[in-house]
Amino acid sequence: MIVKTATTPQELQDVYQIRKEVFVEEQNVPPELEIDEFDQSATHFIAYDGETPVAAARLRFTENGAGKLERICVAKSHRGKSIGKKIMQKMEQEIIQQGFHKAKLNAQTHAQDFYQKLGYDVTSGEFMDAGIPHVTMIKKV
């Protein structure tokens, strides 16, 4: 299993393919909401099982001094194998390397326990995003 920053055109294509499979096809998020204006400036991450892309995420830095972890997804066939944890750790390392000390994300409520086990605390009430209930979570890194 390899988790890395996506830098080549093929790696970025793989990022978008995993996101499409999970968010658009599986969770019925409209494609026009899934790909947005932040994709061009974000740092993207991809996980591979051999040659097969199996997880993706993106990271942005916000005006309030936080690394914002977004679009975190693992292919259905590879869930429960700690790949999500590995991609989260890679993004947290990048946040620290960039000189930031806070990680923030908007978690789908069904994944809230996963993020809590990684040290994230809920800081908001439930809200809807793309028709899916979410909560904001923060962790000091």
Side-chain angles (χ1 to χ4, degrees):
M1 186 64 53
I2 296 171
V3 178
K4 61 183 291 186
T5 304
T7 56
T8 69
Q10 181 61 56
E11 290 167 347
L12 288 171
Q13 184 179 339
D14 292 342
V15 164
Y16 294 128
Q17 179 58 40
I18 292 294
R19 286 172 45 184
K20 180 182 174 204
E21 287 174 17
V22 174
F23 296 123
V24 177
E25 295 171 7
E26 185 181 332
Q27 297 182 351
N28 297 310
V29 172
E32 62 274 13
L33 294 180
E34 208 299 296
I35 303 294
D36 65 20
E37 70 274 15
F38 300 117
D39 278 310
Q40 292 297 318
S41 59
T43 301
H44 297 272
F45 296 83
I46 186 76
Y48 290 98
D49 182 0
E51 304 263 325
T52 305
V54 295
R58 77 176 186 195
L59 174 64
R60 297 188 301 121
F61 293 95
T62 64
E63 66 282 348
N64 64 358
K68 189 154 190 266
L69 293 72
E70 301 175 318
R71 305 300 200 269
I72 303 157
C73 57
V74 177
K76 192 179 246 184
S77 61
H78 283 72
R79 292 182 194 150
K81 299 180 180 182
S82 298
I83 298 167
K85 180 179 179 181
K86 289 177 184 165
I87 208 163
M88 292 291 293
Q89 290 170 335
K90 184 78 169 173
M91 288 193 292
E92 289 172 1
Q93 289 171 359
E94 181 67 20
I95 290 168
I96 293 166
Q97 286 177 356
Q98 295 296 325
F100 292 81
H101 302 286
K102 183 167 65 171
K104 178 180 179 180
L105 57 87
N106 292 331
Q108 294 182 5
T109 54
H110 73 83
Q112 183 176 327
D113 289 344
F114 166 77
Y115 296 115
Q116 285 177 315
K117 288 176 185 170
L118 296 177
Y120 286 80
D121 295 312
V122 175
T123 61
S124 77
E126 188 175 300
F127 61 93
M128 298 299 282
D129 186 7
I132 301 168
H134 285 71
V135 291
T136 299
M137 302 182 81
I138 292 178
K139 175 183 177 178
K140 290 190 187 301
V141 292

